[in-house]
Amino acid sequence: MDLTIIIIYTLALLVIFFYSISELQLLLNYLKAKKSVDNAEKFDLNNPAEIPKVTIQLPLYNEMYVVERLLRNIAKIDYPKDKLEIQVLDDSTDESVLKTTEIIAEIRQNGIDIRHIQRENRSGFKAGALKEGLKIAKGEFIAIFDSDFMPNPDWLQHTVPYFKDSEIGVVQTRWAHLNRDYSLLTKIQAFALDFHFILEQTGRNFGRHFINFNGTAGIWRKECILDAGNWSGDTLTEDLDLSYRAQLKKWKFKYLEDVETPAELPVVISAARSQQFRWNKGAAENFKKNYLRLVKDPSASLGTKFHGFFHLLNSSMFLIVLLLGILSVPVLYIKNNNPAFSWYFNVLAGFGISTIIFFFCYYVPYTKIYGKGIKSFFSFIGMFIIFFAVAMGFSVHNSLAVLEGHFGKKSEFIRTPKFNVNTLKDSWKDNKYLSNKFSVNILIEALLCLYFAFALYSAFALNDFGLIVFHLMLFGGFGFVAFKSIFSKT
């Protein structure tokens, strides 16, 4: 039994090590990208003959609190009115429909081509709505924004020109955060998303590996969507699915790190849970659906296949971390009871280099937002520890999502409630879309908090403190997630 535990523990460390190597390569790509010059040929939007027709799609489902902000912001987009169409793809089933109808009528009076499109059922969820709108879209290019996004008026000016290259199928922009400093929860989410949007997306794009349209804040060539097989609702992350199908069809993606599109982060842990579940399950579903096709593609480089593996299996790292954490406690006792094999455990300690790699990989994006300097560096250290602790705390919830994705269990597309809050003074507790349902996952998280309290006790009992920081993070992470879920909506 001891041998089995050690073997599984070692394999888990190896997986995380190779994952860290993939991130290190993306870091190197990112640093090279920052030194490169963008010489892309672009449309001249000052020349009326080069201005293409654009359709903006706004998929909605019961967005009472943000729909007005969304529509009034989109109405400010700076683009010739005769070349712009706005589709409000409204699957709402509540009174927000009436509010949406009124605002659309008001915007239309200003000469803006805006349509309110409603379906009889939510077949295919968001993917189905996008596909339905595409049938009648007038635009050659299709920009998509979720309800909590607020693109700047010049957004199309920065993105559309790149489509002069006929091989580009998608232009994706970086998410910014309207309420980054609202709470510890939003700071943690921003920390993770900044890493993805600054380092990972730029690194993969520069290295000519597959990246993903992020579901919003991007613009597609309509021909690319149709050529790749159109939107499909058979996974929970239709954006990642279509992205891989399009790139397998040899369409190029262009990522614009310096074009920000502000959006709202979930301020309630139940909302963050639903979003995390959908993203992580969807990624696992997409690995099952698309990775073998990538492996079999003779034109895809070995590097692209390597990065595609960890890109699509990114969410599965939660399962590996959970397994590693649970096994680390018996490993502590096995190590104490087998001093003859202390050399092997010293070798395993060498995998701590993965932590060092992650540290630097997260630090670089952090400096993009907060700058460099001693104060910023120590603030980063604190956020790095807190982020990974809380990420571990989410590992039970996210591991369940991953397992459902890999084993093919289907579930509905659960939307993330939006709040339209930016400061602590804003009230959100009466939000009608909040879910307070108690989950057995929360009980497991509370029990794991106690389990890692025992792990901390064991360090002192065995006089072995090699894993105490890891166990302290696990204790704190599970404690935070369980406490917030049980006693607070935030």
Side-chain angles (χ1 to χ4, degrees):
M1 184 63 179
D2 287 359
L3 180 60
T4 301
I5 290 173
I6 295 301
I7 291 174
I8 296 173
Y9 186 77
T10 303
L11 290 175
L13 285 172
L14 274 171
V15 171
I16 292 175
F17 172 71
F18 283 115
Y19 177 54
S20 73
I21 293 298
S22 74
E23 297 295 342
L24 178 60
Q25 187 175 21
L26 293 182
L27 171 61
L28 297 176
N29 285 349
Y30 175 81
L31 296 175
K32 292 176 185 177
K34 301 313 293 179
K35 296 178 181 179
S36 65
V37 178
D38 187 355
N39 294 317
E41 189 178 8
K42 302 175 187 177
F43 284 127
D44 179 8
L45 297 187
N46 292 316
N47 180 359
E50 290 198 40
I51 300 176
K53 185 87 174 182
V54 173
T55 295
I56 295 177
Q57 291 187 324
L58 307 173
L60 301 180
Y61 178 67
N62 296 346
E63 305 290 3
M64 174 65 73
Y65 303 100
V66 295
V67 66
E68 181 171 2
R69 182 181 70 178
L70 168 72
L71 294 177
R72 296 200 185 284
N73 184 74
I74 291 296
K76 297 176 184 176
I77 289 288
D78 181 17
Y79 206 74
K81 290 182 180 179
D82 63 326
K83 296 287 188 178
L84 180 65
E85 173 195 32
I86 301 172
Q87 291 184 340
V88 182
L89 308 174
D90 193 358
D91 282 351
S92 299
T93 57
D94 65 0
E95 66 272 24
S96 65
V97 173
L98 300 176
K99 187 175 184 179
T100 302
T101 301
E102 291 175 3
I103 300 169
I104 288 174
E106 181 184 333
I107 292 173
R108 192 179 291 123
Q109 289 177 357
N110 296 323
I112 296 175
D113 183 5
I114 182 169
R115 298 187 59 181
H116 193 186
I117 300 171
Q118 297 173 272
R119 301 188 296 163
E120 293 183 359
N121 63 71
R122 290 183 69 207
S123 175
F125 305 108
K126 180 181 176 181
L130 295 171
K131 188 174 182 178
E132 193 71 22
L134 194 67
K135 292 178 182 177
I136 56 174
K138 302 173 185 176
E140 181 183 352
F141 302 103
I142 313 294
I144 300 171
F145 299 102
D146 283 348
S147 61
D148 53 334
F149 278 74
M150 296 183 66
N152 294 319
D154 61 353
W155 193 90
L156 290 176
Q157 311 290 332
H158 289 295
T159 54
V160 170
Y162 286 93
F163 285 105
K164 186 158 188 178
D165 181 347
S166 62
E167 295 183 351
I168 288 182
V170 175
V171 175
Q172 174 68 50
T173 63
R174 175 164 63 89
W175 294 8
H177 314 295
L178 294 169
N179 57 337
R180 169 190 298 275
D181 296 320
Y182 181 87
S183 66
L184 179 59
L185 181 62
T186 59
K187 288 178 181 178
I188 290 168
Q189 293 173 86
F191 186 82
L193 288 169
D194 290 340
F195 170 72
H196 169 68
F197 279 96
I198 294 174
L199 187 138
E200 289 189 317
Q201 287 286 66
T202 303
R204 290 190 184 110
N205 200 216
F206 182 80
R208 298 183 180 180
H209 306 309
F210 283 16
I211 68 168
N212 59 297
F213 166 66
N214 293 102
T216 177
I219 180 168
W220 285 80
R221 187 186 297 272
K222 184 177 181 180
E223 179 190 352
C224 174
I225 297 175
L226 297 175
D227 182 55
N230 214 324
W231 296 104
S232 173
D234 61 354
T235 74
L236 290 181
T237 46
E238 72 294 321
D239 46 3
L240 180 59
D241 174 33
L242 186 58
S243 296
Y244 264 70
R245 286 189 279 120
Q247 287 166 108
L248 284 165
K249 282 275 192 173
K250 310 311 172 193
W251 287 98
K252 295 179 182 177
F253 280 32
K254 179 69 176 179
Y255 181 66
L256 303 178
E257 180 197 348
D258 294 327
V259 180
E260 297 183 3
T261 308
E264 178 184 297
L265 294 162
V267 298
V268 179
I269 199 164
S270 61
R273 276 179 176 276
S274 66
Q275 187 178 72
Q276 287 282 309
F277 191 91
R278 187 174 72 249
W279 287 352
N280 287 293
K281 181 173 180 177
E285 289 174 329
N286 271 285
F287 178 84
K288 185 177 179 181
K289 180 177 179 179
N290 291 308
Y291 187 66
L292 190 58
R293 293 177 59 193
L294 176 60
V295 169
K296 291 180 177 179
D297 186 346
S299 64
S301 69
L302 185 62
T304 293
K305 293 173 183 178
F306 174 74
H307 283 285
F309 179 84
F310 285 106
H311 186 193
L312 293 175
L313 275 187
N314 183 286
S315 63
S316 298
M317 292 302 111
F318 284 104
L319 187 59
I320 301 296
V321 168
L322 178 61
L323 182 65
L324 194 67
I326 291 173
L327 292 181
S328 66
V329 179
V331 163
L332 196 63
Y333 282 88
I334 293 170
K335 176 185 176 184
N336 185 260
N337 293 330
N338 295 273
F341 294 98
S342 59
W343 64 270
Y344 184 75
F345 292 102
N346 290 334
V347 171
L348 291 184
F351 283 110
I353 192 174
S354 298
T355 303
I356 297 173
I357 292 172
F358 286 129
F359 183 89
F360 286 106
C361 285
Y362 275 85
Y363 179 62
V364 170
Y366 189 85
T367 60
K368 167 88 177 186
I369 304 299
Y370 297 99
K372 299 178 180 179
I374 297 297
K375 183 178 179 181
S376 174
F377 180 73
F378 282 103
S379 294
F380 166 76
I381 293 174
M383 185 53 64
F384 181 81
I385 294 171
I386 292 170
F387 163 70
F388 273 96
V390 175
M392 292 173 191
F394 272 101
S395 62
V396 169
H397 178 78
N398 292 341
S399 293
L400 177 61
V402 167
L403 289 172
E404 286 191 8
H406 284 306
F407 285 105
K409 181 180 178 181
K410 294 300 179 183
S411 57
E412 285 195 4
F413 185 103
I414 305 299
R415 62 180 290 279
T416 304
K418 312 298 191 303
F419 301 92
N420 195 4
V421 295
N422 296 298
T423 70
L424 289 171
K425 295 179 182 179
D426 290 317
S427 175
W428 48 262
K429 294 186 178 180
D430 293 328
N431 189 303
K432 59 185 277 184
Y433 304 127
L434 281 177
S435 172
N436 297 318
K437 188 169 95 172
F438 184 83
S439 167
V440 68
N441 292 353
I442 300 173
L443 177 59
I444 296 173
E445 288 157 0
L447 291 174
L448 282 171
C449 178
L450 296 177
Y451 178 74
F452 290 110
F454 171 74
L456 294 174
Y457 160 78
S458 299
F460 291 93
L462 299 174
N463 197 31
D464 186 338
F465 302 98
L467 293 173
I468 194 167
V469 174
F470 183 48
H471 288 153
L472 186 61
M473 292 172 67
L474 286 160
F475 170 74
F478 281 111
F480 175 85
V481 172
F483 179 86
K484 283 286 188 180
S485 300
I486 295 171
F487 297 108
S488 171
K489 293 180 180 178
T490 60

